[in-house]
Amino acid sequence: MKSIALATPATSFYERKVKAIIERTGIIVNGTNTFDIVVNNPHFYQRVLANGSLGLGDSYVDGWWDCTRIDEFFTKLLESGVEQKAKLDWSTRLAGLEAKVLNFQNIREAARNASFHYNLGNELFTQMLDKRLTYTCAYWKSATTLDDAQEAKLELTCKKLHLQPGMHVLDIGCGWGSFAKYAAEKYQVKVTGINVSTEQLALGRKLCKGLPIELIQTDYRKVNKQFDRIVSLGMFEHVGLKNYRTYFELINRCLKPDGLSLLHTIGANFSAIHSDPWISKYIFPNCLIPSLKQISQALENLMVIEDVHNFGPDYDKTLMAWHKNFVTNWPKLKDKYDERFYRMWTYYLLCCAGSFRARYTQLWQLVLSKGNQSVYESIR
């Protein structure tokens, strides 16, 4: 981005304002701690004041500032509550207004939004994720490696659903089929996975070949068949606030009377109507992190919440493991992706890790039923 020449008094004013906000958190501008930031371009200050989190992320990608440990920087920033004290910029206010009026996750837009991220290329994800290509939070309770932690999450999910041989499971937003493959192999169930990403489905079908698994390119709103179990791992963040009720109506309609459904989603401590501007622009267009209030309101008189499990801190470990893989395997990727993409992806993974470490965001697994007379048995 081309820099705009600013008068010295104006520059010093912006610098004083930003430093006053940042240093209140214990972070020092041009300090020596691993969480301190080093400013490379004096126009950074005006950009952050003008555009908030979007300006902060954009200026990092442009090389206007650096930090040894971005994850630590965001942990301190979010633990301080500074984002709640800062006045919303005009673009954030506009995003909130649009979210109230428009449905950014209608069927056409949902496919476009997914392709923006998940069609970046399977090679990127094969170099970053575990061997099963599981692009959701792992479960680290008894695991020490990413591969083991992801298998533990898949096993935990299967146990919560009380899978039995011969059951038919619907996997909404099936990714590359990691859950479908695990469940079919370990629990002898049939799985129908739905997704809107062409690249994920192409590889997923190869990985699941020979198993009782069907991966279909379609939107969840088009499903009308009934299933014994319904699972969704890391897809609900893409549903959109205006579609929450529609989503749970689909679960209610397609789940057999004695069935169970598991919802695995990132969660927010407060109810928002729009996502972080930077994440929405560059990583997950028009995504939204739901609160428990928003989820529970959307499923009122439709489903019974049988179990809620929060293992948000495990996403910090998962993201740090993904970042380590990304950095380690960058030499295999750099011919396809440029240095700007490297900074963008580093910022994305590490700022999210800091968010979970600060307990600003959570990871929930909810088990849902139709409230039949049988009592749900928790495995925890």
Side-chain angles (χ1 to χ4, degrees), residues 55-110:
L56 184 66
D58 279 350
S59 59
Y60 176 81
V61 175
D62 287 341
W64 288 20
W65 63 278
D66 282 294
C67 180
T68 304
R69 291 289 302 270
I70 295 174
D71 54 310
E72 293 180 355
F73 166 75
F74 272 97
T75 300
K76 290 187 71 67
L77 201 68
L78 293 172
E79 282 180 339
S80 73
V82 68
E83 82 293 339
Q84 296 174 359
K85 302 169 187 175
K87 187 177 180 179
L88 292 178
D89 56 87
W90 70 268
S91 60
T92 304
R93 292 181 182 276
L94 179 60
L97 178 62
E98 289 178 338
K100 290 180 180 179
V101 178
L102 304 176
N103 183 356
F104 291 115
Q105 292 293 346
N106 59 49
I107 292 177
R108 180 176 60 84
E109 288 300 313

Side-chain angles (χ1 to χ4, degrees), residues 142-346:
S142 301
T144 57
T145 68
L146 180 61
D147 284 343
D148 289 346
Q150 288 293 15
E151 289 216 356
K153 187 272 300 298
L154 295 174
E155 178 65 15
L156 177 72
T157 301
C158 291
K159 285 184 175 179
K160 286 180 177 179
L161 286 169
H162 294 283
L163 294 185
Q164 299 295 326
M167 284 184 172
H168 192 180
V169 183
L170 174 65
D171 183 354
I172 302 176
C174 60
W176 293 274
S178 62
F179 170 82
K181 190 170 188 290
Y182 185 91
E185 290 175 337
K186 303 291 183 179
Y187 286 84
Q188 294 79 53
V189 297
K190 178 183 177 181
V191 183
T192 296
I194 60 171
N195 196 343
V196 293
S197 168
T198 54
E199 291 226 9
Q200 281 191 319
L201 286 170
L203 179 56
R205 287 165 181 153
K206 293 179 181 178
L207 295 174
C208 296
K209 188 175 180 180
L211 292 167
I213 297 170
E214 184 180 20
L215 302 183
I216 304 170
Q217 185 167 10
T218 189
D219 186 272
Y220 68 94
R221 284 160 285 204
K222 295 182 178 180
V223 179
N224 284 300
K225 189 174 180 179
Q226 282 207 319
F227 299 85
D228 299 292
R229 300 288 188 264
I230 300 177
V231 66
S232 179
L233 304 177
M235 179 271 184
F236 194 72
E237 300 90 333
H238 305 285
V239 168
L241 182 62
K242 292 182 72 66
N243 304 306
Y244 285 176
R245 185 69 176 182
T246 299
Y247 176 90
F248 288 116
E249 286 173 343
L250 173 279
I251 301 297
N252 180 271
R253 182 175 72 249
C254 292
L255 190 65
K256 291 182 179 179
D258 59 347
L260 294 172
S261 178
L262 184 140
L263 176 66
H264 172 117
T265 181
I266 297 172
N269 295 332
F270 56 90
S271 298
I273 58 173
H274 55 79
S275 62
D276 175 82
W278 191 87
I279 293 292
S280 184
K281 182 176 181 180
Y282 295 106
I283 307 299
F284 298 112
N286 303 315
C287 66
L288 180 67
I289 307 303
S291 68
L292 277 178
K293 176 182 177 181
Q294 289 169 326
I295 293 173
S296 61
Q297 286 182 335
L299 54 76
E300 281 187 3
N301 297 318
L302 286 176
M303 307 296 297
V304 172
I305 301 174
E306 300 286 0
D307 186 63
V308 180
H309 182 189
N310 184 354
F311 51 100
D314 287 33
Y315 225 145
D316 174 17
K317 293 181 181 180
T318 305
L319 284 154
M320 294 305 293
W322 289 345
H323 177 254
K324 181 180 179 180
N325 287 345
F326 176 69
V327 172
T328 300
N329 295 315
W330 178 247
K332 302 175 185 178
L333 298 168
K334 64 181 182 179
D335 289 341
K336 185 174 181 180
Y337 306 95
D338 59 19
E339 287 299 318
R340 183 178 174 82
F341 181 87
Y342 179 85
R343 288 182 70 88
M344 180 187 298
W345 216 249
T346 295

Side-chain angles (χ1 to χ4, degrees), residues 19-78:
K19 282 185 174 179
I21 295 171
I22 292 178
E23 295 183 356
R24 196 182 307 159
T25 71
I27 298 166
I28 305 300
V29 177
N30 298 324
T32 58
N33 296 307
T34 55
F35 50 76
D36 291 334
I37 66 171
V38 176
V39 175
N40 305 318
N41 187 319
H43 302 322
F44 157 80
Y45 303 106
Q46 182 183 11
R47 196 171 184 182
V48 170
L49 283 177
N51 297 308
S53 66
L54 183 60
L56 184 66
D58 279 350
S59 59
Y60 176 81
V61 175
D62 287 341
W64 288 20
W65 63 278
D66 282 294
C67 180
T68 304
R69 291 289 302 270
I70 295 174
D71 54 310
E72 293 180 355
F73 166 75
F74 272 97
T75 300
K76 290 187 71 67
L77 201 68
L78 293 172

